Structures are given as C-alpha cells and as structure tokens.
Amino acid sequence: MAQVSDLRFLVTPGGSLQGRLRVPGDKSISHRSIMLSAIAEGETHITGFLEGADALATLAAFRRMGVEIEGPSDGEVRVRGVGLRGLSAPDGPLDLGNSGTSMRLLSGLLAGQSFATTLIGDASLTKRPMRRVTEPLAAMGARIQTTETGTAPLGIEPVSSLSSMQYAMPVASAQVKSCLLLAGLYADGETCVTEPAPTRDHTERMLTAFGYSVRTHGSRVCLKGGGRLQGCRLRVPADISSAAFFLVGASIAPDSDLTLESVGINPTRVGVINILRLMGADIELIDRRIEGGEPVADIRVRSASLKGIRIPEDQVPLAIDEFPALFIAAACAEGETLLTGAEELRVKESDRIQVMADGLARLGIEAEPRADGMRIVGGTLGSTLASEGGAIDAHGDHRIAMAFAIAGLRASGPVEIRDCLNVETSFPGFAGLAAGIGLGIREVRA
Ligand code: S3P
C-alpha cells in the first residue's frame, strides 16, 4: 500500500453545527487505564478507551513488557495485570510516537524496575523537554539519561529500589506529578508532590479506583510505595479536549445547537468551559453524574456572540490543551483577548503560540505572539487558498489542525490545512464526525 505522507483538511466556509455527538474517549484517562491495569493484580475491563495512536502506543509498550491485553475493540479492552513487580524486559526500545504523556509517565513507572528500557519517540516528541521528569527521578535514585539537550531518547537502567521524595514542582504539570507518583509506587516510604497550581488529577482518582491509598491535602499529594493495585472496571468518559473544538465551533457558527454526550467534566479540566462562558458562550451542563470515579455530563452548546477577554491565569493549567481552539474563539470574538502565563504552550506537540499566530495571520487576524501567551484582536476570518503561501501549516500538531478546521465555520472563503495526519493521535475519525454535524470538511491524502 502506498505510504500516505500528508493529510490535508479542505474546509468550505460557513455552516452551523447541529445534533448530538459522542467524541472519543479521554486521552489522559486512556493512558492511565492501561498503565495502572498492567501493574494491578487480576483483570481490568475498560470501556470507552480512546483508540488513537497515542493511547495505542502506551498499550503496545505494555504488551512488549509481557502484559496480556485483549482489544481494543469498539473501545473495549481487557488487561490481565501482572502486579507491581511482574513486568518483563522488552526486546528493544519502546517507541512512544508523538505521545508526551506516554513518555513522561512511563519514565516514572519504569525507573524502579529491575530491567533496562529505552524510550524513543517521533521528531516532535524528541524535541520536548524531559529533564522536568529525569531530574526529580534521579533524585529518587533512578538511573535515567537524556541526550545532552535534555530530550529523548531516555535510557533507564535497572535499580534495586528507589527512595521516596518530597518534591515541589516548579511547573504546573500533571505529567510530572503523575510520573513521580508512579515512581513512588516503587519507592521506600512516602512520596509527596506539591503543585504550584491545580493540574488534572486523573492519576490520583484512578489509583484510588484500583484500591491504592492516595492522600491529598490541598496542593500536596502523597502515596506510600510497595502497595497493591486491584484490577477493576473502568469507564473512560468522552474527552473534553476533543469536545473543545465543537464547543468553540457551535459557539462561533450561527444557528448552532449541539449536544456533546458523556463528556468528562473533572474540575481540573473545565478551563475551556469557564473561559468560553466568560467570553459569553451559551453552554449548559445536563445530567451531571459520576462514571468510573470521574464527573461526566452532556454538554449543550448554542451559538453566541463572543467578546474578547483577559484570560484569568488560574484557568491556564485547567485549559492547557484547549488554547488552539480558544484562540479561534478569540479570533471570532468582538474586541481583544489577552492570554498570559501560558509559556508551557511553547513546548507542546508544537510551539502552539507561534504556530497558531502564524495560522491566524494567514487568515488575516491580528495575533501578536508573546513569550508567555498571545494577544488576539477579533475580526473577519479570510481564506487561505487565495492568500499567498496557501495552506495553513499544522506542523503535525493534532490540535492545531482541528482548531483551524473549526475556523472554517466563520471564514469568508475555503480554508486548507496541511500536515494533519497526527489528528489520529487523539481524535480518530474527527473529519467524519465533524462533517456529520455540519462542518464542510473534506480530507485529502497525498
Ligand atoms: C497531560 C498533561 C498535560 C497535557 C497533556 C496530557 C496528562 O501536560 O498538556 O496533553 O495526561 O497528564 P503537562 O503535564 O505537560 O501540562
């Protein structure tokens, strides 16, 4: 079969979003469901698992370490856990593709094993900072190496044990927190991590679901090493980060009325709803419930005229993956939107401040990138086909590709986006689902 080297989105302008939709499973929770069930005792039955490339990279890594995993099939996975000490050495490097979550969380889980591992990834992952995990892990006694520039490949050597640690994180990062908690499972004594601002707490919730004791006091979370996880049933909610494109799309497109089903609304993830509401969005949470230890609701969103705001900095970690979509909302809002305190966006799957500013400029929007954020003046979105330079470049970043696809709803001409293949990492079937509710999107493979 011919290798597809590029996927482009072609979006015809206008339209509205209508109907009901369930977006795929939460990526963060899907990763953790495999990691924790693999080192649990007994079987775990997972439903709603995200069958996207990132979560599948985590799944493949555990298969290579001797864990029997059935599925995924229609979001259903059965994992036969091997216990905390039951993993075996893989027969070569573990390739984690584009997935920062896989690499950072696995580095913690593998740091205390009795066998060596090497973690590798694609060109984007190989540029991302890894010292934020390797330095605290080394302080716990791990033998872990990065390249000279602090990036992957990561080489992990076996150790007989890790020591527990009290760690105050310099960055608000759920990946760092989770990495250290997973390493803490293999440490003598109690490991505690303090975060400078609240970040997603899926690891803590899921450990509890597996019967592992986790203590949280305000911004500090602690666990003792050497306990046991007990296999369980897990239901993965729909990913609010994937829903975000439609929350923005239905807000900016006239005559829209869309309901997104069973979306995770964990308080550490709802920054996108809070920010859109501050901008004037019409978002209703229906039938709030708890599923698998996580709060879930159906979300109804209708068109609204948005206004520019100064985004409160305390919302930044709670919406960290949603800024590509939020920047499109800002571009369609009346007046100026200012984001500060978001320098982390520069080290995501792409430099999301620069790449979004470049794409918005191509659509004729005034977007001023700053070291830690962006100033965007709302206006009329143009088209890319007619402009010089042609298509918007998503730089292989799934969320940039989907954000600009949604922008087509308010563009004055067609919008073309290139380098969209990685949409598969978090949202397989995005174009088909989006087309089904009214976006004029077509995929072109070359
Ligand atoms: C994630 C944490 C966030 C987020 C990423 C997923 C997680 O990263 O951007 O997409 O699953 O823990 P940081 O911890 O680097 O902020």
Side-chain angles (χ1 to χ4, degrees):
M1 207 172 74
Q3 180 84 24
V4 175
S5 60
D6 192 16
L7 171 68
R8 291 181 177 222
F9 288 155
L10 287 180
V11 186
T12 49
S16 60
L17 299 185
Q18 308 252 356
R20 295 181 73 86
L21 176 68
R22 184 180 170 127
V23 300
D26 187 278
K27 183 151 76 74
S28 292
I29 298 176
S30 295
H31 282 298
R32 288 155 171 84
S33 71
I34 298 293
M35 293 180 191
L36 296 190
S37 57
I39 56 166
E41 288 166 27
E43 185 171 292
T44 295
H45 180 208
I46 307 164
T47 52
F49 181 78
L50 168 66
E51 296 181 46
D54 277 12
L56 292 174
T58 292
L59 189 151
F62 281 92
R63 270 199 181 128
R64 291 190 53 213
M65 291 187 285
V67 182
E68 255 184 72
I69 304 176
E70 234 178 82
S73 161
D74 247 341
E76 207 173 326
V77 186
R78 280 177 202 277
V79 182
R80 279 181 267 291
V82 295
L84 216 52
R85 291 282 170 194
L87 296 174
S88 51
D91 56 4
L94 298 173
D95 187 350
L96 304 170
N98 193 243
S99 177
T101 308
S102 307
M103 187 168 282
R104 296 205 180 108
L105 271 59
L106 273 183
S107 68
L109 197 152
L110 297 177
Q113 303 292 337
S114 57
F115 54 85
T117 37
T118 304
L119 307 183
I120 60 171
D122 70 6
S124 151
L125 183 52
T126 302
K127 281 195 218 130
R128 298 181 65 187
M130 291 297 151
R131 286 199 180 115
R132 56 180 60 196
V133 289
T134 59
E135 284 176 351
L137 286 173
M140 293 175 80
R143 292 170 60 208
I144 183 164
Q145 295 283 333
T146 64
T147 63
E148 259 176 33
T149 51
T151 53
L154 301 184
I156 305 174
E157 292 300 321
V159 289
S160 51
S161 70
L162 295 175
S163 5
S164 58
M165 183 174 52
Q166 312 283 310
Y167 188 65
M169 290 195 295
V171 235
S173 164
Q175 291 180 351
V176 175
K177 174 177 65 174
S178 302
C179 163
L180 299 177
L181 292 175
L182 293 175
L185 296 175
Y186 293 88
D188 304 325
E190 191 176 48
T191 295
C192 295
V193 185
T194 306
E195 47 189 10
T199 67
R200 65 193 70 192
D201 63 357
H202 305 304
T203 305
E204 299 91 302
R205 285 175 187 259
M206 201 181 286
L207 279 166
T208 307
F210 278 91
Y212 207 96
S213 166
V214 179
R215 288 193 306 121
T216 303
H217 296 289
S219 60
R220 182 176 152 97
V221 47
C222 303
L223 58 74
K224 285 195 183 124
R228 293 169 47 166
L229 287 83
Q230 187 56 52
C232 61
R233 293 177 79 86
L234 292 173
R235 194 152 155 191
V236 180
D239 198 331
I240 190 168
S241 297
S242 297
F245 301 102
F246 301 118
L247 294 178
V248 170
S251 296
I252 62 174
D255 305 320
S256 294
D257 185 349
L258 183 68
T259 300
L260 297 155
E261 295 171 347
S262 301
V263 181
I265 51 158
N266 181 311
T268 59
R269 296 285 298 281
V270 292
V272 62
I273 295 177
N274 300 339
I275 293 167
L276 283 172
R277 280 182 169 159
L278 288 172
M279 296 176 81
D282 179 355
I283 296 174
E284 197 186 335
L285 300 183
I286 301 162
D287 189 15
R288 288 164 178 253
R289 56 216 185 254
I290 301 283
E291 283 179 9
E294 291 277 348
V296 165
D298 299 333
I299 306 181
R300 183 174 185 189
V301 52
R302 283 173 277 194
S303 329
S305 48
L306 301 181
K307 55 183 188 324
I309 58 164
R310 198 186 165 102
I311 298 175
E313 287 196 4
D314 64 359
Q315 295 299 311
V316 170
L318 313 183
I320 194 66
D321 292 332
E322 286 63 77
F323 286 104
L326 285 166
F327 291 157
I328 299 301
C332 296
E334 190 192 322
E336 184 179 300
T337 294
L338 184 64
L339 171 68
T340 55
E343 51 283 329
E344 276 293 299
L345 294 182
R346 295 212 176 257
V347 290
K348 293 294 176 187
E349 286 84 328
S350 70
D351 175 345
R352 287 184 173 160
I353 293 176
Q354 193 57 50
V355 172
M356 283 302 298
D358 291 346
L360 286 171
R362 187 145 286 173
L363 290 175
I365 294 294
E366 188 182 336
E368 182 200 321
R370 297 185 174 177
D372 70 337
M374 182 117 78
R375 188 181 69 90
I376 296 172
V377 182
T380 305
L381 301 183
S383 113
T384 59
L385 289 181
S387 74
E388 265 182 55
I392 288 171
D393 192 342
H395 286 268
D397 186 327
H398 53 137
R399 301 202 197 280
I400 305 275
M402 291 185 275
F404 281 112
I406 289 297
L409 288 160
R410 279 278 289 272
S412 52
V415 175
E416 182 179 7
I417 309 137
R418 67 164 166 257
D419 206 357
C420 302
L421 268 175
N422 278 337
V423 164
E424 179 61 28
T425 60
S426 69
F427 200 154
F430 165 75
L433 276 182
I437 51 165
L439 182 70
I441 184 170
R442 199 155 61 79
E443 292 186 317
V444 177
R445 287 171 201 268

